[in-house]
Each structure stands twice: as structure tokens, then as C-alpha cells.
Amino acid sequence: MLTILNVSQNHYVRGGSDRYFFTMGELLQKHGHKVIPFTAASPKNEPTEWAPYFPRAADFDNPGPIDLLRFLYSRDAVKSIHKLLNKTNIDIAHFHIYYGKLTASILGSLKNAGIPLIQTLHEYKLTCPVYSHLSNDEICEDCEGKHFWRALPKKCNRGSLARTALSVTESYVSRLLGCVDKFDHFISVSHFLRKKMIQYGIPEEKISTVHNFTDVSDITPNFSVGEYILYFGRVHRSKGILTLIEAAAPLKEVPLYIVGDGEAMPEVQRIVEQNECDHIHLLGFKQGDELQELILNSICTVLPSEWYENCPMSVLESFAYGKPVIGADIGGIPELVIDGVDGFLVPSAGTEALREKLLWVFEHKDEAAEMGKTGRKKMETEFNADIHYQKIFNIYEMVL
């Protein structure tokens, strides 16, 4: 059995990649491996015996000059890694989202210790200084995977030249520290992301696709007819939330529940109030049992994204609970949703087509319930924990 260093920014769940970091760690432990987490220190962290080895990270809330340097290169992280390597033997290091808080400063120490490095790519960090291939809410590939300075005139990081300059600097520093060269293999969570990486210079033989998974063994689906259509996730323009509101606004008879929060929420609230959309319910952020109940009692869920989604957990979770998905035909979504079988694919930013499908599922709830059964079966046969483990372990064996 292997000792695996599981590396990520957070030892608490802030987003989908954090959730995957924990579930993958549990999956590896279930198969007899020893898993050692290595993340930044934080008062929000879940408890672990390995917390004394977690380094201090840059303060993103009130950054000072030292935090700017720490964002580029973390001496604390290097010291912590050396301390950890003196304490225990590690067979393989599996990285997730580590930059920003841990930084690429730790790669050299692990490599010098002869430890193979693998990274699961959850976003476009290697080819875009703001990680998303988005600039001012529009899809952008101007940097072509390496000319990161091109982000400066566009102010790609929140419209701020200072923030963008920091992101661009960090991208170049990470490259110098080996964020591509020092890794033995990359795991992409979608074929789309893999192709994008190869398009912009990551060697084809150095990257494999392993989609995310959801362990459905403890999830009881609900195949009965639901009452409303559900969106859950970040309330952000790139998620297509404004397109969704525009599509749903005239459908007064179709209840739409919006679960989540984000920067587009004030605009969403304004549109809902101005158009007297009493059928659109803004429920705010939910998690755990509350979110579970909302998914279980929906007709279907909707993900109308307008950016290069990779392998959104919201789609897999919807299928796990027995619900079909209306998804945009962008990024990795078409790899998960089969149009007309376990949901529908609509053109990204296509208001009319989205409206048509929202109305269809509301008027054909029984057919939607059957689609949900197909989605659940897909989770049991294609995206289950055992298959996922085997694919990950095959990659470990390849680099050891």
C-alpha cells in the first residue's frame, strides 16, 4: 500500500475541488493507502493530526507587501514540506489546487526527494493567468497558454490592473518553479480541458482524463415527479445565471428555485423584482441536508454555463439523486449529459432554447423522471467510486 501526500489549498470545503480533495482522500484510505493531507493553515480547517505541518498562507483579506511575496513564493510552505519529509516517507504526491496559498515553491523539495508528482487539473491555471479563460465575463484565449502579459491591457483579473499584474507575475514565477516541468503526469477532469492543455503546449502523453465521481452507495435517489426546476451553484454571470433568469421570466407557471450566492445576485434580484417574477425563488446559499432535499424534490436541475466548465459536480450530484439536467453545450458538460436521454443540451447563452426546455420538463414531468433514472444508472455504472479509484491507481502505477 502507498503513502500518498494529498495536496490542496484548503482543509475545508469552499468549492468543488475541495470536496473532491476530501472524497478522493477517503477513497484512497478505503483501499488501504495512507493519505497525508498537506494544505495551508486556516481557522476554518477541518481537524487533522497533520495540522502542525500546515504552513501559513498569504492573507487575501487584508494583504500587505509580505503577503504579495508569499503569494508568489512561500518560504513557510518549503519549511513545512521539509519538516514533513523528515517525519515520514512519501511514495507519491497528488496535487489539486495548490497555488496562491502553498505556491509552486514546494515542487523542488518534493522532486529532489525523488517523489513522483501528479496534479488533478480542476481549472485552466496552466494556460490562463486568471485560471478560467474568462476576461471581463467573456471567453478569452489571447494568452495562448504562455503569453501571460497579454492579460494586462485587458485587466482580466476583476478589471484591476494591479490584480492582473500579480496574476501574470505569479503565472511566470510558477512556470520557472516547474508547475509544468516538475510534474510527472496531469489528470484532467474532462476531455475538453485535456484538449485545451494539449492545444497550448502540455505534452499529450503527460495528461490523462479521469472524470470526477460521486459515491452513490449512500445516496437514495428520488424518482418521483418533482415540483420545481432547480439551479444550485455560484450566482455569477459566467454560470449563465442572467440568461437563465431571462429565459424563465415569462414562464410564470414554472417555479424556478435559485440556490447559491455570488456577485451577480444584486442584478438577479433587481430583474426578478422589476418583472414581478414571483415564480423565481432566490433561496441563498444552502448545503448539507437542506441542499439535498432541494435536489431530491426538483423536477430537474439546470446548468446554463457560459464558460468552459470542466466536470461540474452539480451535474453528477443531480444524476446521483435521480434528477435529469438541462446543461449548456460548453466545456465538459456534453461529456456528462446525453441530449434527450438523461437531460438536455442547449446552446450556451441561448435564451430561447433554454426557455423551451424549461417549459418542456415542466409539462412532461413523467418523462423527466424517467430521464432521472437513466442519469442515476449512469452514476452507478460509469462514474462510481470503484471505477474512479482504478483509473487513479493506474496512473500512480505508471509514474512509480
Side-chain angles (χ1 to χ4, degrees):
M1 291 295 114
L2 301 174
T3 299
I4 299 148
L5 188 68
N6 198 20
V7 185
S8 192
Q9 285 202 81
N10 308 316
H11 204 260
Y12 62 95
V13 175
R14 183 169 171 263
S17 66
D18 300 319
R19 203 149 67 239
Y20 178 80
F21 161 78
F22 280 107
T23 55
M24 197 205 75
E26 289 160 10
L27 183 62
L28 291 167
Q29 283 175 323
K30 191 174 140 190
H31 283 268
H33 303 289
K34 182 179 181 180
V35 178
I36 299 171
F38 186 72
T39 75
S42 168
K44 297 178 187 171
N45 280 349
E46 296 288 330
T48 169
E49 63 179 296
W50 298 99
Y53 297 94
F54 292 0
R56 182 175 44 173
D59 182 349
F60 293 136
D61 297 322
N62 300 293
I66 297 295
D67 292 301
L68 298 182
L69 291 173
R70 201 176 275 144
F71 177 75
L72 301 173
Y73 186 96
S74 172
R75 289 183 184 279
D76 284 347
V78 174
K79 284 179 193 167
S80 296
I81 272 291
H82 282 294
K83 199 167 124 189
L84 186 60
L85 291 175
N86 288 332
K87 161 83 175 172
T88 187
N89 291 320
I90 290 161
D91 295 308
I92 198 162
H94 191 146
F95 284 69
H96 302 277
I97 294 175
Y98 66 93
Y99 23 87
K101 290 187 179 178
L102 298 176
T103 78
S105 57
I106 61 177
L107 302 180
S109 302
L110 290 165
K111 206 69 191 156
N112 292 339
I115 298 165
L117 307 187
I118 282 173
Q119 186 187 2
T120 294
L121 303 175
H122 299 276
E123 54 191 5
Y124 299 91
K125 164 72 169 77
L126 298 183
T127 55
C128 170
V130 293
Y131 315 167
S132 61
H133 282 300
L134 279 174
S135 177
N136 305 304
D137 295 322
E138 299 290 330
I139 286 173
C140 169
E141 298 183 27
D142 287 0
C143 290
E144 297 179 330
K146 59 185 176 184
H147 305 299
F148 303 126
W149 59 268
R150 291 179 183 168
L152 291 168
K154 298 184 77 170
K155 300 180 185 172
C156 293
N157 192 338
R158 303 190 213 177
S160 161
L161 184 59
R163 282 179 179 276
T164 305
L166 186 61
S167 296
V168 167
T169 305
E170 192 277 333
S171 292
Y172 284 120
V173 170
S174 286
R175 279 289 171 104
L176 286 170
L177 293 171
C179 72
V180 174
D181 299 340
K182 283 192 165 64
F183 278 90
D184 296 273
H185 205 75
F186 294 106
I187 297 169
S188 168
V189 296
S190 71
H191 296 309
F192 181 90
L193 187 148
R194 180 176 183 268
K195 285 174 191 160
K196 198 58 69 182
M197 294 299 109
I198 293 165
Q199 179 185 343
Y200 290 124
I202 306 299
E204 190 170 352
E205 68 281 359
K206 200 172 173 173
I207 182 166
S208 306
T209 301
V210 181
H211 291 92
N212 291 332
F213 77 102
T214 296
D215 186 357
V216 295
S217 56
D218 293 330
I219 296 175
T220 305
N222 180 13
F223 298 129
S224 60
V225 168
E227 297 301 319
Y228 49 84
I229 294 166
L230 175 69
Y231 170 87
F232 65 103
R234 285 185 302 124
V235 180
H236 192 282
R237 279 175 170 270
S238 66
K239 288 288 192 178
I241 192 72
L242 297 182
T243 301
L244 175 59
I245 298 300
E246 189 185 343
L251 304 176
K252 303 291 186 187
E253 73 277 26
V254 182
L256 173 65
Y257 287 13
I258 307 287
V259 170
D261 207 350
E263 59 198 57
M265 186 52 93
E267 200 170 348
V268 168
Q269 286 172 325
R270 183 179 56 75
I271 296 167
V272 167
E273 284 167 19
Q274 280 180 354
N275 293 281
E276 297 179 351
C277 297
D278 297 336
H279 61 299
I280 299 178
H281 306 269
L282 308 177
L283 305 182
F285 179 75
K286 306 283 182 192
Q287 59 184 350
D289 293 343
E290 268 190 300
L291 179 58
Q292 213 174 80
E293 283 300 310
L294 284 162
I295 300 169
L296 281 168
N297 295 309
S298 66
I299 303 166
C300 76
T301 70
V302 58
L303 182 60
S305 276
E306 293 171 19
W307 81 290
Y308 293 154
E309 290 277 2
N310 293 315
C311 185
M313 292 302 295
S314 59
V315 174
L316 300 183
E317 287 165 2
S318 300
F319 287 160
Y321 289 110
K323 300 301 165 184
V325 178
I326 301 171
D329 62 349
I330 194 169
I333 297 174
E335 297 169 31
L336 306 179
V337 179
I338 302 174
D339 188 45
V341 177
D342 46 30
F344 291 106
L345 290 171
V346 296
S348 182
T351 308
E352 290 297 328
L354 179 56
R355 183 178 297 141
E356 189 183 301
K357 294 308 178 195
L358 295 173
L359 188 57
W360 190 94
V361 294
F362 186 73
E363 292 178 343
H364 299 81
K365 292 178 186 172
D366 291 334
E367 288 97 322
E370 288 302 313
M371 287 180 164
K373 288 180 186 174
T374 308
R376 168 66 185 213
K377 191 159 188 60
K378 180 189 279 186
M379 295 305 299
E380 293 167 0
T381 56
E382 291 179 45
F383 295 99
N384 69 42
D386 290 338
I387 290 171
H388 189 83
Y389 168 74
Q390 200 51 59
K391 287 179 177 177
I392 295 290
F393 190 70
N394 288 347
I395 291 167
Y396 288 178
E397 287 189 314
M398 186 169 67
V399 302
L400 283 167

